[in-house]
Each structure stands twice: as C-alpha cells, then as structure tokens.
Amino acid sequence: MEGYILDWANLLLRWLHVITAIAWIGSSFYFVWLDNSLTRPIDTGLKDKGVDGELWAVHGGGFYNPQKYLTAPKSLPENLHWFYWESYSTWMSGFALLVVLYLFNASTFLIDKNVYDMSPGAAVGFAVTYLIVGWVVYDAICRIFGKSDKTVGMLVAVYVAVAAFAACHIFSGRAAFLLTGAMIATIMSANVLFWIIPGQRKVVAALKAGQPVDPIHGKHAKQRSVHNTYFTLPVLFAMLSNHYSMTYAAKNNWLVLIMVMLAGVLIRQFFILKHKGKINFAWPTAGVACLGLVAFMIAPQPQPQPQPQPRPQVAKGADGDAAATAVSFVKVQEIMNTRCVQCHAEQPKMMPTAAKGIKLDSADSIKSHAQLIYQQAVQQKTMPLGNATQITDDERALLGQWFEGGAKTTN
C-alpha cells in the first residue's frame, strides 16, 4: 500500500510540476518576446503619458495593445498583476517531487557505487547542498561582477559546467542530470524571490510615496530575468533526460550534459535576437552542431557479444538453420534472483513494495515482462538502477539471447 500511495504522489506532483512549469516558462517567454517586440509609439499622447513602447496583436478574435512605460504610469492601477506564483509553485512542486522520488529512495536513485560509494544519508546531504551552493555561488558572481553582463555570463557558464562535472562524479548519471537541472531551476526561482519581486515592490512603494525611483532595481531585475530565459532550455533538457539513458549513461556523461545545455542556450539566443528583428542562423546552426556531435559521441559501437559460459546449445528453426541461441531458463531465473528481485518481488529487500508493481520472482511474471527486461536490462542498460546489484555484461548478453530466442520458460 505504501508503494501505491507513493506512485500516486509521484503522479500528482509530476502533473502539478508540469502544469506550473508551463505557466512559468510560458509567461517568461512571452515577456521576453514582448519586451523585444515593442515599437516606439506614434501617438504623442502616449509619449506624454510616459509610454516607451507598444505592440498591437490579435489573438482569439480579439485585439490587444500592451504598452510599456519608462518607469510607471502617473497613477498606479489598483489591479496590478504580479508574476511570481508560477515560479514559486514550479519550484515547490519540483522539490517535492525530488524528495518523494529521489531523496526517499537515495540508495536506488542517487547512488551509483561505480561512480562514488556513499551512504544514503550522505547522498541526500550532498544533493541538498548541491542546490544551495549553486544559488550561493551564482548570486556571488552576480553581486561581484554584475556591472559587466558578459563577465557574469561567462563566469556563470563556467560554474554550471564545473557543477555538472562534479555532479556526474558524485551521483548516478540519471540523478546528476536531474540535480543539475534542479540547481539551475533553484537559481531561477531564487532570482524571482530575492531580486526581481523585491525590486519591483520597492519601485511600486516609491511611486506610491511620490519618491524618485532608484533605477538600480530595474537593472538588477532585468539582468536576472535575462539569465532566467537562457536557463530555461537547459533545465528542460535536464528534466527530460531521465527518460533517455543514452545521455546520462554515456561514458563522458558530464560532457554530454554540458554540450546539450550549451545547444539550448545557443538556440534560445537565436529566438531572442529574432524577436528584435535580427535573424542570424549561425546561432541555431552552432546549437544543432553541438547536438550532432553529442549524437556521434554516444552512438553505440558494434562490438562482439560476450558469450556466457557454458556455451549454450543451438536451437533449430523451421527451415533447419540456426534460428536462435537457446538459453536455459534456469540461468535466466538465477540472474533475476541475484540481480532483480531485490526491487521486483512480492516482498523486495530494497523497497517497501515491488518497484512499479513489476514482480520478477516467478516464471510467469518473468515471461510476461520479457520485452521490458530486454529493453531495460539489455538494450538501454538502465536496470538495475545505478547497477546496484552489479549485473555483468555476460549476464546482460545471456538475457538478450534468451529474449531473442523466443523468451522460453520450458527449456
């Protein structure tokens, strides 16, 4: 029952996280586009009111005319909408999902003993520290070097690359990618919480009090907002990568993560410039080149399959030729009992209930999940998670031969 409840918590939190993330990224993209698409007003009356830019748009059968003021209108409206709930709810739902899925199951999801052997408590401590340090270092860079956008951008890029490298040498590949995305998302949300919204509140308070507005608040908010928009595509990749083991399970997975995030930044740069009327295909070309290089780097190399011992017998096909390599099902069951039932059994040792409801402790259940076993353990090599039970390449090859030979349970 505990596993069933956790699955529901996982589903609902993931659903909520996706919904709020769409709202946050959607509003962020819209305002970046809007800010870069405004034109100087022709109407002198608008100029006299302090309008610095406007845009006419049509959507859903209606016409819209958003306007941007140099500072603010002479009198602030009572219904002033603040854009912050999207950010906060995205981060909170994402952190809750991280806790439920990864921190509560640190030994399974955070730790890969082939990368770094540590206790579950240490893994949780490292993960939380990784998020906090990410914000502290980023904020320090912005505070110290904030007068130069280029210097800040270069230093932040270097730090993210170093952090990605460190994560991939501490956590399992899957967790490293996710935590790097979570670190960047934490920076984004903290920008809103500690800089953008407080700065806007100070501006509004000064206007209401009839006092001059300090332009530094707008400069800080603008800088952090620009950083956030460049962060979005790298974060989205990091969050989606856990479905694609070819990326996080690659030999130099830290380099894969850095290059794909760089591709996201380059592609985002193209669209930001495009909003300003500057079309430069060098940016997306460079981004696609990065992706192509990654695809080449992690492409599977044809290698001879290691042969399990003793040498299996050959089964004859209908045409009399060798149709498939017959593997004793007893050996398949031995692998399941040694490497898989710790998580996939009626009463697993490493989890409160069978992971994902999949049980591999009987011949019938192994047969019914043969396709999944082949995909996860042989082709993608994502199971066991973090190779916690130390399955060997020979054992993976034997499972592959068993499946390709018809996944029989009678021999």
Side-chain angles (χ1 to χ4, degrees), residues 16 40 59 93 102 152 192 302 310 338 357 389:
L16 174 63
R40 296 282 182 177
H59 179 74
S93 61
Y102 280 79
V152 169
V192 177
T338 306
T389 56

Side-chain angles (χ1 to χ4, degrees), residues 92-381:
M92 289 188 291
S93 61
F95 185 74
L97 189 59
L98 177 70
V99 170
V100 169
L101 187 58
Y102 280 79
L103 302 191
F104 276 175
N105 298 287
S107 59
T108 301
F109 290 100
L110 290 182
I111 301 171
D112 183 345
K113 293 183 179 180
N114 293 320
V115 176
Y116 186 73
D117 192 358
M118 55 184 164
S119 67
V124 172
F126 280 140
V128 174
T129 301
Y130 184 74
L131 301 184
I132 296 173
V133 171
W135 161 249
V136 171
V137 173
Y138 164 83
D139 189 55
I141 291 173
C142 292
R143 287 176 183 268
I144 297 171
F145 303 98
K147 292 183 179 180
S148 172
D149 289 336
K150 289 184 178 180
T151 301
V152 169
M154 291 177 61
L155 291 175
V156 169
V158 169
Y159 175 70
V160 170
V162 171
F165 177 85
C168 289
H169 286 79
I170 297 175
F171 305 102
S172 69
R174 181 179 181 181
F177 276 41
L178 186 77
L179 285 170
T180 300
M183 180 197 71
I184 299 174
T186 298
I187 291 172
M188 294 171 65
S189 195
N191 276 340
V192 177
L193 177 63
F194 295 118
W195 286 93
I196 297 174
I197 294 301
Q200 290 176 343
R201 292 193 185 281
K202 290 177 182 178
V203 169
V204 170
L207 290 168
K208 288 183 176 180
Q211 299 174 350
V213 175
D214 189 344
I216 193 64
H217 301 307
K219 291 180 181 179
H220 285 159
K222 179 69 174 178
Q223 185 182 62
R224 305 286 179 128
S225 294
V226 169
H227 292 171
N228 280 5
T229 198
Y230 281 110
F231 281 147
T232 49
L233 297 188
V235 168
L236 287 175
F237 164 73
M239 298 307 176
L240 292 173
S241 65
N242 67 93
H243 298 288
Y244 301 94
S245 61
M246 62 184 180
T247 58
Y248 63 75
K251 183 178 180 181
N252 294 313
N253 56 356
W254 61 272
L255 186 58
V256 172
L257 177 57
I258 291 171
M259 291 187 66
V260 176
M261 289 195 299
L262 174 60
V265 170
L266 294 171
I267 293 170
R268 184 71 186 125
Q269 172 70 355
F270 168 76
F271 284 101
I272 291 174
L273 293 177
K274 183 176 180 293
H275 299 332
K276 297 179 180 180
K278 302 175 183 178
I279 298 179
N280 186 345
F281 286 103
W283 295 106
T285 300
V288 171
C290 285
L291 295 176
L293 182 58
V294 169
F296 176 78
M297 286 170 46
I298 65 176
Q301 300 297 320
Q303 295 178 352
Q305 291 272 348
Q307 297 295 322
Q309 297 296 330
R311 187 179 181 87
Q313 299 177 347
V314 176
K316 296 294 182 178
D319 57 359
D321 296 329
T325 303
V327 175
S328 170
F329 183 67
V330 173
K331 293 186 176 297
V332 174
Q333 282 185 306
E334 288 177 358
I335 296 174
M336 296 294 108
N337 292 334
T338 306
R339 313 298 185 187
C340 305
V341 297
Q342 289 84 347
C343 296
H344 298 286
E346 185 68 34
Q347 295 181 333
K349 297 178 181 179
M350 297 178 65
M351 290 188 171
T353 58
K356 302 297 183 183
I358 297 173
K359 302 171 186 177
L360 302 175
D361 50 2
S362 70
D364 289 341
S365 61
I366 294 172
K367 173 70 175 180
S368 65
H369 293 103
Q371 177 72 34
L372 193 61
I373 293 170
Y374 182 67
Q375 290 175 346
Q376 299 290 315
V378 181
Q379 291 186 317
Q380 298 180 3
K381 296 185 179 181

Side-chain angles (χ1 to χ4, degrees), residues 10-24:
N10 186 355
L11 170 61
L12 296 178
L13 283 172
R14 192 181 297 272
W15 194 11
L16 174 63
H17 186 54
V18 170
I19 292 170
T20 54
I22 289 172
W24 184 17

